[in-house]
């Protein structure tokens, strides 16, 4: 197993996150259902018991009559029998004419008759004898009786509370059983859901074989839609790593291959210098110079072929860069007796979206080749021109030129064509030009114009 990453805090496990994400809302929903269910149960129990209490009230109120100008009543035993329950709740009653008690419990909390509607039963909670009670009461108006008759029936709340508790406990037990059953099912469900992720992990771990790195696309089988972007991004990363390591391997191979000859020459000349050869010192200086040029161009090629995202584009003034490169190489041209010229057709601002370093490398290599493979008294001309959609940078010389059959190959690494017997070179200059231009979206072509060599780089015109 791979070691933990140093300096990195451990995040909560994905399985734990998913479990919390699933059980959290489930427990929240269970709590909401429990609270709502308890409220509903209490309301249903209250309504049910109020119907029974209201029935007893109605049965008693119907027996209230007027005989010979006096209020009479006959308490039916069935009315109180309706209120009997297993909790043995206490039952109280009170019948009054106005403020005068007719029968019942005189201290039972009396209502204000003015707030009551005639023949409309009313229910309320109250405290009586240190107990909570539920009172049902109604106001009746009898003939020839000026005062209203108030009929009240009350009972204690033990039965109601016991019934509510039983139903709420049953509800909670059902919710606990449901949540427990869901927990038992969620864990294996999570294991099944995370199998594609485990398969993806095994596919990545299988690359750790200790041999040459494998940057081929992952083979993790069918993946869910959520993991497809991750696998695709990882494959892109592998492809970038493959290009990067390929570039390193290619650079290493090229460097070891091309540096072997000047190093061998350098070793021989050093040995000759030890034996007293004066000419060997000149050969050593020449070998060091060739080696320096080779390393410089190999590094330039590596920069031009650097893997990964394209360099950020910037506005580059081709006239300014051309003048800078000519100024840099003017001493080389004077030493080789070659004239350098910059030909700009008009005052048009030759600005393009490119990368200044890469444009500098292109011009430096093209002008260097024009000087190196030219003749004394020859010339190298950098020409800037434009079309409606493109800006053209052309470097031409009047040297021996490149054979037409070699036009397609001169952009390959280390290919020197008909210059194999000419001045010393690495065969990397035009490869650098090709790679640098490609990374900026420009194109390179050898023009058939003769004599000499004419190479044109085509840039898209800057819209600004």
């Amino acid at each position: 197993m791979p070691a933990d990453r140093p300096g990195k805090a451990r995040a909560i496990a994905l399985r734990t996150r998913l479990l919390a994400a699933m059980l959290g809302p489930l427990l929240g929903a269970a709590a909401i259902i429990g609270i709502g269910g308890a409220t509903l149960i209490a309301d249903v129990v209250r309504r049910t018991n109020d119907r029974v209490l209201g029935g007893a009230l109605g049965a008693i109120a119907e027996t209230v009559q007027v005989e010979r100008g006096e209020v009479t009543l006959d308490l039916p035993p069935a009315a109180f029998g309706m209120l009997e329950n297993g909790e043995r709740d206490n039952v109280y009653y009170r019948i009054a004419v106005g403020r005068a008690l007719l029968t019942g419990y005189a201290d039972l909390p009396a209502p204000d008759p003015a707030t009551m509607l005639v023949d409309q039963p009313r229910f309320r909670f109250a405290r009586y004898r240190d107990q909570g009670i539920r009172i049902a009461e109604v106001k009746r108006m009898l003939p020839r009786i000026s005062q209203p008759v108030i009929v009240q029936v009350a009972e204690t709340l033990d039965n109601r509370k016991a019934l509510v508790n039983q139903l709420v406990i049953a509800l909670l037990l059902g919710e606990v059983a449901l949540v427990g059953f869901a927990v038992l099912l969620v864990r294996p469900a999570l294991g099944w859901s995370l199998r594609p992720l485990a398969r993806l992990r095994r596919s990545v771990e299988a690359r750790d074989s200790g041999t040459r790195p494998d940057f081929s696309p992952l083979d993790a089988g069918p993946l869910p839609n959520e993991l497809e972007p991750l696998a695709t991004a990882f494959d892109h990363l592998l492809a970038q790593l493959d290009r990067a390591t390929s570039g390193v391997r290619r650079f290493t191979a090229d460097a070891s291959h091309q540096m072997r000859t000047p190093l061998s020459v350098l070793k021989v000349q050093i040995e000759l210098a030890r034996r007293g050869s004066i000419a060997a010192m000149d050969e050593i200086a020449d070998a060091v110079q060739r080696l320096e040029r080779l390393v410089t161009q190999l590094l330039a090629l590596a920069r031009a072929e650097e893997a990964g995202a394209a360099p950020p584009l910037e506005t580059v003034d081709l006239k300014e860069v051309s003048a800078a490169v000519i100024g840099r190489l003017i001493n080389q041209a004077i030493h080789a007796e070659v004239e350098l010229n910059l030909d700009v057709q008009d005052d048009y601002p030759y600005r393009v979206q490119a990368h200044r370093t890469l444009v500098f490398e292109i011009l430096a290599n093209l002008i260097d080749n024009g000087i190196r493979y030219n003749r004394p008294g020859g010339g190298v001309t950098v020409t800037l021109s434009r079309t409606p959609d493109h800006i053209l940078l052309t470097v031409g010389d009047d040297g021996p030129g490149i054979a037409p059959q070699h036009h397609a190959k001169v952009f390959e690494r280390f290919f020197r064509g008909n210059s194999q017997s000419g001045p010393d070179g690495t065969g990397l200059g035009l490869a650098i030009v090709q790679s640098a231009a490609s990374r900026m979206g420009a194109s390179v072509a050898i023009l058939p114009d003769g004599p000499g060599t004419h190479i044109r780089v085509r840039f898209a015109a800057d819209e600004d």
Side-chain angles (χ1 to χ4, degrees):
M1 294 296 292
D4 291 341
R5 294 176 296 171
K8 296 291 185 179
R10 291 184 62 85
I12 300 174
L14 183 59
R15 187 185 297 272
T16 303
R17 288 174 180 263
L18 292 175
L19 191 62
M22 297 176 69
L23 292 183
L26 180 62
L27 292 175
I32 293 174
I33 292 173
I35 295 173
T39 303
L40 180 62
I41 287 172
D43 185 67
V44 170
V45 170
R46 178 184 60 79
R47 290 174 180 273
T48 303
N49 283 270
D50 281 353
R51 287 181 182 179
V52 178
L53 188 61
L57 175 67
I60 295 175
E62 287 178 357
T63 66
V64 178
Q65 302 292 331
V66 177
E67 294 183 3
R68 300 174 184 177
E70 294 183 358
V71 178
T72 63
L73 78 149
D74 182 16
L75 292 176
F80 296 101
M82 295 168 60
L83 301 176
E84 291 183 355
N85 55 64
E87 299 299 326
R88 301 294 182 180
D89 277 325
N90 294 327
V91 178
Y92 309 99
Y93 68 95
R94 178 179 179 273
I95 297 94
V97 179
R99 297 291 181 179
L101 177 67
L102 183 62
T103 184
Y105 294 83
D107 57 348
L108 190 67
D112 181 4
T115 62
M116 299 178 65
L117 299 176
V118 178
D119 294 330
Q120 294 293 324
R122 189 176 71 175
F123 298 87
R124 61 189 174 93
F125 289 102
R127 296 289 298 178
Y128 182 62
R129 297 182 179 180
D130 296 328
Q131 288 184 298
I133 61 172
R134 181 72 166 170
I135 300 175
E137 52 197 13
V138 66
K139 180 173 77 170
R140 296 194 64 190
M141 299 300 296
L142 300 178
R144 300 183 299 279
I145 302 297
S146 60
Q147 296 293 324
V149 178
I150 305 299
V151 181
Q152 292 178 282
V153 179
E155 66 174 352
T156 53
L157 305 177
D158 293 342
N159 182 66
R160 296 176 183 235
K161 292 179 180 179
L163 184 57
V164 168
N165 291 338
Q166 290 176 5
L167 293 176
V168 169
I169 290 174
L171 174 64
L172 293 178
L173 290 177
E175 288 191 328
V176 169
L178 179 62
V179 172
F181 186 66
V183 171
L184 293 177
L185 292 181
V186 162
R187 292 195 66 86
L190 285 177
W192 175 80
S193 301
L194 294 176
R195 283 181 186 174
L197 188 59
R199 192 166 61 244
L200 185 62
R201 175 179 59 83
R202 290 193 297 270
S203 178
V204 174
E205 289 178 345
R207 305 299 178 93
D208 188 15
S209 59
T211 59
R212 181 176 177 177
D214 182 6
F215 296 118
S216 61
L218 293 176
D219 182 16
L223 293 175
N225 293 336
E226 294 79 4
L227 290 181
E228 278 291 349
L230 175 61
T232 301
F234 197 82
D235 286 342
H236 281 303
L237 177 61
L238 290 176
Q240 289 180 343
L241 289 174
D242 189 25
R243 289 193 296 269
T245 54
S246 296
V248 172
R249 287 195 297 268
R250 186 167 57 247
F251 176 82
T252 304
D254 293 344
S256 61
H257 174 74
Q258 294 299 316
M259 293 173 67
R260 186 178 297 115
T261 299
L263 286 175
S264 299
V265 171
L266 191 59
K267 183 186 295 185
V268 171
Q269 297 303 324
I270 289 175
E271 186 63 30
L272 292 176
R274 286 175 177 174
R275 297 178 182 179
S277 174
I278 301 300
M281 299 303 295
D282 294 333
E283 295 293 335
I284 290 174
D286 185 60
V288 169
Q289 185 177 4
R290 292 200 304 271
L291 188 59
E292 180 185 14
R293 173 175 169 74
L294 174 62
V295 171
T296 300
Q297 289 207 301
L298 282 172
L299 291 174
L301 182 62
R303 285 196 302 269
E305 294 183 344
E306 182 181 356
L313 298 181
E314 56 186 333
T315 300
V316 177
D317 187 340
L318 293 183
K319 288 192 292 186
E320 183 269 328
V321 176
S322 299
V325 176
I326 290 175
R328 175 76 62 86
L329 299 178
I330 189 67
N331 289 333
Q332 179 184 348
I334 293 173
H335 182 74
E337 300 180 14
V338 173
E339 181 179 356
L340 294 183
N341 299 291
L342 176 59
D343 181 11
V344 182
Q345 294 183 354
D346 50 36
D347 292 333
Y348 178 80
Y350 289 94
R351 291 193 292 267
V352 296
Q353 289 298 310
H355 193 276
R356 192 180 189 282
T357 302
L358 296 182
V359 173
F360 196 97
E361 292 285 356
I362 289 174
L363 272 169
N365 280 278
L366 291 178
I367 296 175
D368 177 77
N369 281 353
I371 296 172
R372 187 177 297 274
Y373 298 105
N374 213 320
R375 55 181 175 77
V380 176
T381 302
V382 178
T383 304
L384 296 177
S385 58
R386 59 188 174 93
T387 66
D389 298 323
H390 297 89
I391 292 180
L392 308 177
L393 186 155
T394 306
V395 178
D397 63 65
D398 47 10
I402 300 174
Q405 66 270 24
H406 293 155
H407 282 189
K409 293 184 178 182
V410 291
F411 295 104
E412 297 177 2
R413 305 147 83 73
F414 306 116
F415 182 84
R416 298 185 60 201
N418 56 355
S419 62
Q420 297 286 353
S421 57
D424 292 332
T426 62
L428 289 174
L430 293 182
I432 295 172
V433 170
Q434 178 70 45
S435 295
S438 298
R439 283 180 61 77
M440 295 185 295
S443 61
V444 182
I446 299 177
L447 302 182
D449 304 343
T453 301
H454 300 266
I455 299 179
R456 172 171 292 171
V457 183
R458 183 189 301 267
F459 295 92
D462 190 351
E463 295 179 358
D464 295 336

